[in-house]
Amino acid sequence: EAGVVQSPRYKIIEKKQPVAFWCNPISGHNTLYWYRQNLGQGPELLIRYENEEAVDDSQLPKDRFSAERLKGVDSTLKIQPAELGDSAVYLCASSLRTTNEKLFFGSGTQLSVL
Amino acid sequence: KNQVEQSPQSLIILEGKNCTLQCNYTVSPFSNLRWYKQDTGRGPVSLTIMTFSENTKSNGRYTATLDADTKQSSLHITASQLSDSASYICVVRLPYSGAGSYQLTFGKGTKLSVIP
């Protein structure tokens, strides 16, 4: 079974440029998460989807970040314009709605904003 | 603010030795506590998930314990291998209380290095 697939693996951009990340969750997983992880820190939730509905986006900086999950499968996370402080690893995860909701993470996209 | 504190921040051990990583949390009540392993450049991988009523759970050479009274959890690694070198993250899940109220609180992780 394929795991959570993210692309690209690495992205280097100049500040003020736009950038987008793509995530394909595990087949059948209705819950999808986007996390941001800074070096030496734990992941921080940006947004959580239940199917195509964003049910928790309270930590998403909406002035520059946007996300979508069309048809409740793949998802994209966009930053426009990027700032130096956005440099981090962006992780996508998916899960089934079960009692313990085990999360499966992708390998992440490492973003460097110069 | 709910917090999950892990110690030590980093640890170096010799191959074949045992080690124990600590997690102290202030989240209460909670639904479950998880330990994840994160290799460099990879996403976290689940090792164990324990509900508040469980004391211990094993996954191969990894054994997690939970003391809900003292709000402490530990991850014990037996007979360490070079492939155990990674960050180990403790995560506490709050109880579900309606749409949009789901929350996982992540610790900063312990970086373990196993050397030959």
Side-chain angles (χ1 to χ4, degrees):
Chain A
E1 178 183 287
V4 177
V5 179
Q6 290 188 246
S7 67
R9 285 284 281 126
Y10 305 93
K11 191 71 176 179
I12 301 173
I13 62 172
E14 293 186 344
K15 63 181 180 181
K16 299 185 181 179
Q17 294 301 305
V19 64
F21 314 123
W22 176 80
C23 174
N24 180 236
I26 292 174
S27 178
H29 282 194
N30 52 341
T31 307
L32 183 146
Y33 317 74
W34 282 103
Y35 285 90
R36 177 169 58 189
Q37 186 175 26
N38 292 306
L39 191 63
Q41 304 292 316
E44 297 175 333
L45 180 69
L46 292 173
I47 190 168
R48 176 170 70 96
Y49 282 93
E50 295 291 345
N51 299 306
E52 66 274 10
E53 181 182 1
V55 296
D56 186 355
D57 62 356
S58 57
Q59 302 302 312
L60 189 73
K62 298 182 182 63
D63 57 335
R64 297 183 300 108
F65 285 65
S66 64
E68 60 181 10
R69 191 184 184 197
L70 299 176
K71 300 181 181 179
V73 181
D74 295 2
S75 178
T76 57
L77 177 68
K78 298 178 182 178
I79 309 175
Q80 181 171 10
E83 298 179 351
L84 296 177
D86 295 331
S87 295
V89 175
Y90 290 82
L91 293 165
C92 178
S94 70
S95 70
L96 286 169
R97 284 296 301 275
T98 62
T99 301
N100 285 331
E101 289 200 52
K102 182 176 178 179
L103 269 66
F104 294 83
F105 285 86
S107 294
T109 295
Q110 184 167 338
L111 174 66
S112 296
V113 182
L114 307 178
Chain B
K1 181 179 179 180
N2 296 323
Q3 286 192 330
V4 176
E5 301 289 340
Q6 293 189 242
S7 62
Q9 186 174 355
S10 62
L11 181 64
I12 301 174
I13 62 172
L14 291 174
E15 183 180 12
K17 298 296 186 182
N18 303 335
C19 68
T20 300
L21 314 180
Q22 298 291 341
C23 173
N24 295 335
Y25 59 91
T26 58
V27 177
S28 183
F30 69 95
S31 176
N32 57 58
L33 184 145
R34 310 150 181 233
W35 283 93
Y36 282 85
K37 177 186 180 187
Q38 185 172 23
D39 293 314
T40 300
R42 313 293 294 182
V45 174
S46 179
L47 293 176
T48 62
I49 300 176
M50 290 184 292
T51 66
F52 62 89
S53 61
E54 294 180 291
N55 303 112
T56 184
K57 184 157 284 188
S58 293
N59 179 358
R61 294 180 297 102
Y62 301 101
T63 299
T65 63
L66 175 62
D67 186 334
D69 291 332
T70 60
K71 297 185 174 61
Q72 294 180 328
S73 177
S74 63
L75 181 69
H76 186 75
I77 304 175
T78 304
S80 62
Q81 300 176 358
L82 298 179
S83 60
D84 293 331
S85 294
S87 287
Y88 292 84
I89 304 174
C90 176
V91 186
V92 177
R93 179 186 168 182
L94 273 65
Y96 183 75
S97 57
S101 298
Y102 172 98
Q103 184 176 341
L104 289 175
T105 302
F106 287 76
K108 294 182 179 181
T110 291
K111 185 176 176 60
L112 174 67
S113 299
V114 181
I115 60 175

